[in-house]
Amino acid sequence: MDDAGAIAAFWILSAVTVGSALMVVIVRNLIHAVMLLVVSFVGMAGLYVTLSADFVAVAQVLIYAGAISVLILFAIMLTPRAGRDNAETFLRLPALLLAVLMGFTMGLVALETDWAIAGRGGFEETASVIGEALLSKYVLPFEMASVLLLAAMIGAIILVRSEGFSEEEEEE
Amino acid sequence: MPLLAEWWDLRDLGNSVGAFLQRFEVWGAPGWVPYVVSGLIGILAILLWLLASQIVFIWIERRAIALMQNRMGPNRVGPMGLLQPLADSLKLFLKEAITTRDSDRLLFWIAPVAIFTPALVVFAVIPFGEGMVLADLNVGVLFLIAIASLNTLAVFMAGWSSNNKYALLGAMRSVAMLISYELIQVLALLGVVLFVGSMRLGDVVGWQSGFHIWLILLQPLPALSYLIAGAVEINRSPMDIAEAESEIVAGYHTEYSGIKFGFFYAAEYFAGFAIAAIIVSLYLGGWTAWGLEEWVPGWLLFVAKVYLVFFIFVWMRGTLPRLRIDQLTAFAWKFLLPLSLLNVLVVGGEVLIWREADVPAEVALPVIGVVNAVMAVALVVGWGWMLGHGRSEGQAKRAVLTQEVGAIIYGKAAPGA
């Protein structure tokens, strides 16, 4: 990241990401919050692009901006309190305190750590490198993750289809 | 294709652009100026092409569907109604764009713009000809799916912000469809990536021209399922349940009028061309056509194929009845998903055998093509039969009323009446 374009891109993308993430918390309207979350996700994808992690960037758009946000929308629409306002909370002060502490800790870690600087340049093509790593060095975690997801999926199905209910009762 | 770097050589439009860009070096402009200018030229060219195609295809679609349905279609404005799209767009520009009182103003304004963006951005990675691509990403195929999935967010924005129950129903349907069909798209395109070994769209087209075979011949089942999933993605009949006008007025754009509705209308066409361009690049050989590209400019072949595939969408719209939302999602989960998973497994095995056993491509590819075609037919028929869509329930009969009327007219008893 030497040239002016990359630096400008970094600052603009960071501003978009952090700004929209802040707005997600501040804004009252839940649907607006989800839309801003999408903006934040896309900004993150842009940051990945500047780090020459093209595969991760596209996966970020596909999974987070495209799928996760849609799932969140689905969840908002299906809950009874699908009102347009984010409810008041009495935990405002503790939450503020926690946020400040978290921010302080993370900032301190980011500033104080002696970050290693990679000697090599960016990858030419990350997709194949990630694929090979997933199926050779990290094959066990990869397979375990798939088994875990399968178990979670079956668990969700069993939770929804408990034996005590007949089909009519489920539909309400 | 021999590259003659003369600007008038229209076989590669990049020649004239390149000649134009060389002027900048002569003028002594800094290095980033030709880069930016070439990007702008590409964007402008794609936009103009899309707009022109859209205006022509509105007329073709309306006339063709009218022909299929035994109607006249637009025939008053200009010769054979040719100026109808222009009149329509003029009307859309001049009409008042109404914003309803209780709508969410901000999202209501953003939605028509947001629905435009994905459809346009997709064209950045589509190779129109050899080297004629705006941004040849090496994760192009994944990029296509990722960008196309953002379309649904805009649809949801429009439906939700309208504060109209029909609009909201349309938006919810659209979201449900996306969840069902995004997986199908990924699995369908995975077969292509497995064969080619690269996600760069230029490589996919190059692979097809290198082996002189179109991937649709090797991958008939994913090509079909991608066509269906693509039609779902862009809300076209018979999968246009997000805007089903006989059920929920106009779905997510019920409350839009004037040019804002025009945006939705245009975006539908743009997205349609995008899906058609993806199908052409991935399954139909892109800008190559078994040697024809030596004689005809590649980009012309590409555009012709895009129009042909888009005409399939028009054809589907004119002839197939609309599905119900539960039928559509059930079709994705029960029918397309298992078949796509099986297809990925089979393709993986085939590619592995082909690579490991060092079978020459002249032998391997036809065998794979025949195997996959047989598998596709067997799976579609067999799985449909297993799900109870076989013919055992009773075949379609001629309607009794028709038979009776026929008997009256022709003066003989109806068979079986």
Side-chain angles (χ1 to χ4, degrees), chain A residues 144-168:
Chain A
M144 269 163 66
S146 57
V147 172
L148 188 72
L149 285 176
L150 186 67
M153 214 158 70
I154 293 172
I157 292 171
I158 287 174
L159 273 181
V160 174
R161 295 196 136 200
S162 55
E163 277 177 37
F165 293 99
S166 68
E167 293 233 304
E168 285 81 8

Side-chain angles (χ1 to χ4, degrees), chain B residues 86-411:
Chain B
L86 290 179
D88 279 351
S89 43
L90 197 67
K91 180 196 77 175
L92 285 176
F93 273 114
L94 294 179
K95 267 177 89 170
E96 183 188 2
I98 299 166
T99 310
T100 46
R101 193 178 57 221
D102 290 328
S103 63
D104 189 314
R105 304 251 161 164
L106 184 68
L107 289 185
F108 196 76
W109 270 97
I110 294 176
V113 184
I115 203 165
F116 235 69
T117 325
L120 287 179
V121 172
V122 161
F123 281 98
V125 294
I126 302 277
F128 284 77
E130 194 167 10
M132 278 174 62
V133 51
L134 207 54
D136 205 4
L137 299 182
N138 53 21
V139 285
V141 174
L142 201 64
F143 178 83
L144 290 176
I145 303 168
I147 294 300
S149 70
L150 294 181
N151 196 14
T152 305
L153 275 176
V155 169
F156 183 87
M157 245 189 247
W160 183 80
S161 66
S162 299
N163 195 21
N164 174 319
K165 60 187 169 203
Y166 294 116
L168 190 61
L169 272 175
M172 290 303 289
R173 287 180 174 195
S174 164
V175 172
M177 287 194 311
L178 173 95
I179 291 176
S180 310
Y181 277 89
E182 197 168 12
L183 259 178
I184 310 295
Q185 284 193 0
V186 174
L187 288 173
L189 298 189
L190 200 57
V192 171
V193 176
L194 277 173
F195 265 113
V196 178
S198 166
M199 289 196 278
R200 193 189 294 271
L201 263 81
D203 288 351
V204 175
V205 179
W207 189 92
Q208 296 179 71
S209 84
F211 286 109
H212 301 292
I213 191 161
W214 288 355
L215 273 164
I216 193 172
L217 300 175
L218 302 176
Q219 295 271 281
L221 188 61
L224 186 67
S225 65
Y226 189 79
L227 184 77
I228 295 170
V232 171
E233 178 103 15
I234 59 174
N235 271 324
R236 277 194 80 85
S237 280
M239 291 80 165
D240 65 339
I241 54 169
E243 47 175 288
E245 67 266 19
S246 53
E247 302 164 23
I248 49 172
V249 193
Y252 59 92
H253 55 61
T254 302
E255 295 287 357
Y256 282 89
S257 62
I259 191 60
K260 283 199 238 169
F261 168 73
F263 266 65
F264 284 105
Y265 194 61
E268 185 187 324
Y269 276 90
F270 285 14
F273 287 126
I275 296 286
I278 294 168
I279 290 175
V280 167
S281 304
L282 293 177
Y283 293 111
L284 297 176
W287 35 265
T288 66
W290 294 319
L292 195 63
E293 69 268 19
E294 301 280 338
W295 306 96
V296 183
W299 51 275
L300 216 56
L301 283 175
F302 177 84
V303 168
K305 284 185 201 171
V306 168
Y307 289 161
L308 278 179
V309 174
F310 193 81
F311 189 77
I312 294 178
F313 285 134
V314 174
W315 198 358
M316 277 161 66
R317 179 171 180 173
T319 46
L320 295 178
R322 182 184 297 124
L323 288 138
R324 254 181 6 231
I325 176 84
D326 59 323
Q327 289 171 335
L328 199 65
T329 44
F331 183 64
W333 291 112
K334 291 183 185 166
F335 195 85
L336 287 178
L337 184 66
L339 260 54
S340 305
L341 281 173
L342 256 175
N343 180 71
V344 168
L345 190 72
V346 170
V347 167
E350 281 167 356
V351 173
L352 193 70
I353 292 170
W354 178 27
R355 296 263 166 80
E356 296 293 316
D358 269 337
V359 187
E362 294 80 41
V363 182
L365 289 181
V367 171
I368 290 175
V370 171
V371 168
N372 281 358
V374 171
M375 187 189 74
V377 173
L379 275 180
V380 169
V381 174
W383 202 269
W385 186 77
M386 252 182 67
L387 287 179
H389 297 298
R391 293 193 168 197
S392 55
E393 292 281 314
Q395 298 183 3
K397 294 187 184 108
R398 284 177 69 186
V400 176
L401 184 68
T402 319
Q403 291 179 357
E404 284 173 355
V405 171
I408 292 166
I409 291 172
Y410 294 111

Side-chain angles (χ1 to χ4, degrees), chain B residues 49-96:
Chain B
W49 172 67
L50 277 174
L51 279 171
S53 313
Q54 183 213 356
I55 284 185
V56 174
F57 251 90
I58 288 176
W59 182 80
I60 290 179
E61 174 157 21
R62 293 182 66 176
R63 290 291 288 199
I65 289 181
L67 212 66
M68 288 172 197
Q69 298 171 341
N70 248 339
R71 294 184 286 114
M72 291 294 284
N75 58 356
R76 294 302 168 96
V77 190
M80 296 169 72
L82 264 173
L83 297 179
Q84 185 70 43
L86 290 179
D88 279 351
S89 43
L90 197 67
K91 180 196 77 175
L92 285 176
F93 273 114
L94 294 179
K95 267 177 89 170
E96 183 188 2

